[in-house]
Amino acid sequence: MIGYLDGTMADFFGEMCFIDVNGVGYRVFPTTALRAKLKKDARVRVYTYLNVRDDAMQLYGFVSLSEYEAFVLLIGISGVGPKAALNILSTLSAEKLAAAVEYKQVSLLTAAPGIGKKTAERIILELKGKLLAPPNASALIEAPEDLFSPPDEMGLEDAIDALIGLGYSRQETQQALKGAPKTASVQELIKFGLKKLSK
């Protein structure tokens, strides 16, 4: 129903963000990849999925069409709801999810909050052949730390902001990111933090 929003990033509230489109504020639940890219008052285009329940209508936001496609496929699997799908895509990029499915990496999926081994195995079974694994799929699975993008203070702050956007406090996120690999990218920092916070 609502394929994307093209407007201005208005504000953040907990795990949600508000996108202003011609004076109408849309409440969106973003993935961490999207959350890390959103800057207040900046012009944005956000791909969205409208989930309709008996008691609510919720918009989920994505940074790319590949992320959107992965979300739609995930929620089509029995036992995987929108929240679980968002957790998976907030832990793994769409490309890394495709690589995890291609190489049957259950442990990468169970790193997402609320995803157990049986659910991860079902995801791999049902998504096999439906997600196009990138040419560097094996590197995404087995890449050593020194292949990740060198982080900087801004990268660490982006990871902290993304985790705060999921409902964690700044103190919790800073504690969770202690001991993270010094060469980790923003996405890897988010994954590292989520793994520690979900324990």
Side-chain angles (χ1 to χ4, degrees), residues 84-119:
L86 192 72
N87 284 342
I88 291 169
L89 290 170
S90 291
T91 304
L92 302 173
S93 66
E95 292 76 16
K96 197 161 187 177
L97 171 62
V101 169
E102 177 73 19
Y103 290 94
K104 301 179 181 178
Q105 296 294 305
V106 171
S107 61
L108 288 178
L109 289 166
T110 56
I115 303 300
K117 184 179 178 182
K118 287 186 178 180
T119 301

Side-chain angles (χ1 to χ4, degrees), residues 117-198:
K117 184 179 178 182
K118 287 186 178 180
T119 301
E121 289 172 344
R122 189 183 311 122
I123 290 169
I124 289 171
L125 180 65
E126 296 203 25
L127 292 190
K128 185 71 173 176
K130 294 182 180 178
L131 290 172
L132 181 62
N136 63 334
S138 60
L140 288 174
I141 296 299
E142 301 173 353
E145 290 178 359
D146 60 1
L147 291 184
F148 299 147
S149 302
D152 52 25
E153 288 300 319
M154 184 63 72
L156 182 61
E157 196 59 35
D158 283 345
I160 290 171
D161 285 345
L163 291 170
I164 290 173
L166 290 174
Y168 299 104
S169 70
R170 175 168 286 275
Q171 184 177 0
E172 285 176 319
T173 60
Q174 288 175 330
Q175 187 65 32
L177 289 171
K178 282 185 177 179
K182 293 186 181 299
T183 52
S185 65
V186 173
Q187 192 70 24
E188 292 295 327
L189 287 169
I190 292 168
K191 177 186 171 183
F192 182 91
L194 280 172
K195 191 170 184 179
K196 290 185 71 174
L197 287 164
S198 64

Side-chain angles (χ1 to χ4, degrees), residues 32-49:
T32 53
L34 174 60
R35 175 67 175 77
K37 287 181 176 293
L38 294 175
K39 304 298 180 186
K40 192 171 179 179
D41 298 325
R43 186 81 180 179
V44 294
R45 171 172 285 193
V46 176
Y47 296 98
T48 59
Y49 179 90

Side-chain angles (χ1 to χ4, degrees), residues 32-91:
T32 53
L34 174 60
R35 175 67 175 77
K37 287 181 176 293
L38 294 175
K39 304 298 180 186
K40 192 171 179 179
D41 298 325
R43 186 81 180 179
V44 294
R45 171 172 285 193
V46 176
Y47 296 98
T48 59
Y49 179 90
L50 178 62
N51 184 58
V52 180
R53 304 187 328 203
D54 290 340
D55 59 342
M57 291 192 295
Q58 296 174 319
L59 270 178
Y60 292 87
F62 312 96
V63 74
S64 64
L65 280 174
S66 61
E67 203 175 59
Y68 169 86
E69 179 190 16
F71 179 87
V72 172
L73 288 171
L74 283 167
I75 62 175
I77 298 171
S78 176
V80 180
K83 182 65 175 175
L86 192 72
N87 284 342
I88 291 169
L89 290 170
S90 291
T91 304

Side-chain angles (χ1 to χ4, degrees), residues 2-53:
I2 302 176
Y4 66 83
L5 300 175
D6 195 331
T8 303
M9 174 58 211
D11 221 330
F12 298 101
F13 182 75
E15 61 183 358
M16 300 174 290
C17 63
F18 294 92
I19 309 294
D20 183 302
V21 181
N22 297 324
V24 178
Y26 290 85
R27 186 178 64 183
V28 178
F29 293 88
T31 61
T32 53
L34 174 60
R35 175 67 175 77
K37 287 181 176 293
L38 294 175
K39 304 298 180 186
K40 192 171 179 179
D41 298 325
R43 186 81 180 179
V44 294
R45 171 172 285 193
V46 176
Y47 296 98
T48 59
Y49 179 90
L50 178 62
N51 184 58
V52 180
R53 304 187 328 203

